[in-house]
Amino acid sequence: EDIRPEEKIATVLQVRSLTEEGYILFATRQGTVKKSRLDEFSNPRRKGVNAIELDEGDQLVATRLVHEGEQVMLFTYKGMAVRFDETKVRAMGRSARGVRGVTLKDENDYVINAEVVKGPESILVVCENGFGKRSAVEDFRQTNRGGVGVRSIIISERNGNVVQALCVEDSDGIVMISAKGQT
């Protein structure tokens, strides 16, 4: 209710309580990240509250709950991944813009997803043409926030570019759905 016509919902984040310990991590298409304390959102107004200041042409692509000791991974359309400690992003107020999370390869590259990891997880990277690769989080060299990162998968004519990257476990199943609705 009361969302302006030019706005749309970009992400949904499930939380037990807005007063619990932790932060909301925001990641934007152009590679900016921001971390705000969860309790900053505990007293919303009827029309909502501003959560992040976005640069012209940028948009929010992911929000994740992050706690002390965890790491952040950002994945790009051109197949790069950056992994860094959550402490590399200081906590900021709701109106802050954020800091550089990843340096994109070129003007056609953009962030497709962010994940919060503890270390033992696996990452599934899926490309446009249905090819994918599963790798341990440890296979992604830890870098500094703001770097180009490491290759998550080879981008090729066969594979296409990356459309999604997410944490998976051995017991998980996946469903891939094409743009035309085929599973």
Side-chain angles (χ1 to χ4, degrees):
E1 182 179 330
D2 291 321
I3 293 179
R4 292 190 300 264
E6 70 275 8
E7 285 188 295
K8 64 180 182 174
I9 302 298
T11 69
V12 177
L13 184 64
Q14 178 184 2
V15 296
R16 285 188 191 90
S17 165
L18 290 170
T19 58
E20 71 180 83
E21 288 295 315
Y23 303 89
I24 297 177
L25 177 89
F26 300 86
T28 75
R29 183 178 169 97
Q30 293 179 358
T32 299
V33 292
K34 177 186 162 184
K35 183 175 80 173
S36 295
R37 291 184 50 85
L38 192 54
D39 62 12
E40 293 224 12
F41 301 91
S42 63
N43 293 313
R45 294 187 291 274
R46 183 174 176 272
K47 291 189 179 229
V49 294
N50 288 336
I52 184 171
E53 183 70 32
L54 294 172
D55 288 341
E56 183 72 32
D58 203 358
Q59 62 188 34
L60 189 63
V61 294
T63 54
R64 298 286 180 261
L65 205 52
V66 64
H67 298 90
E68 288 184 23
E70 294 178 329
Q71 294 183 323
V72 176
M73 293 188 75
L74 300 173
F75 301 91
T76 75
Y77 180 68
K78 295 289 186 175
M80 301 305 285
V82 64
R83 175 171 74 115
F84 55 89
D85 286 329
E86 60 82 22
T87 56
K88 301 286 184 188
V89 182
R90 66 176 175 76
M92 301 173 207
R94 289 194 328 252
S95 61
R97 178 188 165 278
V99 294
R100 172 77 29 223
V102 60
T103 298
L104 301 172
K105 286 183 89 169
D106 57 41
E107 66 278 351
N108 297 317
D109 200 9
Y110 56 91
V111 173
I112 53 119
N113 198 17
E115 288 286 351
V116 171
V117 296
K118 295 179 178 71
E121 300 92 343
S122 291
I123 300 293
L124 175 66
V125 178
V126 179
C127 294
E128 293 168 317
N129 298 334
F131 292 93
K133 176 182 171 186
R134 184 175 169 190
S135 307
V137 166
E138 291 88 21
D139 292 345
F140 296 91
R141 178 176 45 86
Q142 189 171 337
T143 61
N144 245 339
R145 170 187 66 73
V148 175
V150 298
R151 187 172 308 282
S152 65
I153 193 168
I154 293 173
I155 299 304
S156 64
E157 195 172 314
R158 179 194 84 140
N159 289 352
N161 290 303
V162 176
V163 292
Q164 189 57 274
L166 60 152
C167 285
V168 294
E169 296 180 7
D170 288 343
S171 58
D172 289 339
I174 62 163
V175 177
M176 289 189 278
I177 305 169
S178 74
K180 299 217 185 272
Q182 182 181 354
T183 59

